[in-house]
Amino acid sequence: MDGQSHGMEPHERILRSPRFQELIRRRSAFAWTLSAIMLGLYFGFVLLVAFAKDLMAVRIGGGVTSLGILLGLGIIATAFVLTGVYVARANSRFDDLTRSLQEEVTR
């Protein structure tokens, strides 16, 4: 098939493709899930800072580091981990869907 098959431009065929719709749906759902996890952690941390000051001020070990500092660093680390999870999935499942979509459109 050429790019003009069925009277549609290639971009129109892509937008109407069920595989493209599936790719958009899966990618969006996954991104929203990871975003909700991160927002939950951030809001939980802020609530702890606001309402559990004594808990957040607890010193860890014999130094000056508090539980709040460790939890804050944990949230930053979690953001990096969740970004890695998204990239790993994008490079596997989402790329597979994209390749199959390209094959479908170029036929």
Side-chain angles (χ1 to χ4, degrees):
M1 281 186 200
D2 63 358
Q4 301 294 326
S5 67
H6 304 292
M8 285 192 284
E9 295 290 326
H11 70 278
E12 291 172 330
R13 289 187 13 221
I14 291 170
L15 291 174
R16 293 178 188 211
S17 167
R19 287 188 184 179
F20 179 73
Q21 297 300 321
E22 178 186 1
L23 172 64
I24 296 300
R25 182 184 51 76
R26 282 187 180 186
R27 192 179 62 189
S28 294
F30 189 61
W32 279 110
T33 299
L34 294 180
S35 295
I37 290 169
M38 204 65 233
L39 281 172
L41 290 173
Y42 278 129
F43 283 124
F45 181 76
V46 169
L47 289 172
L48 283 173
V49 169
F51 299 110
K53 291 179 184 127
D54 292 338
L55 175 65
M56 297 297 272
V58 170
R59 302 242 184 246
I60 303 298
V64 295
T65 304
S66 68
L67 180 60
I69 295 292
L70 289 180
L71 290 176
L73 290 173
I75 287 175
I76 292 169
T78 301
F80 282 105
V81 168
L82 291 180
T83 300
V85 167
Y86 181 84
V87 169
R89 183 172 243 183
N91 288 338
S92 60
R93 293 184 189 168
F94 298 151
D95 279 357
D96 292 343
L97 284 171
T98 301
R99 274 190 289 281
S100 67
L101 176 63
Q102 287 172 336
E103 291 170 5
E104 175 185 308
V105 171
T106 57
R107 281 188 244 154

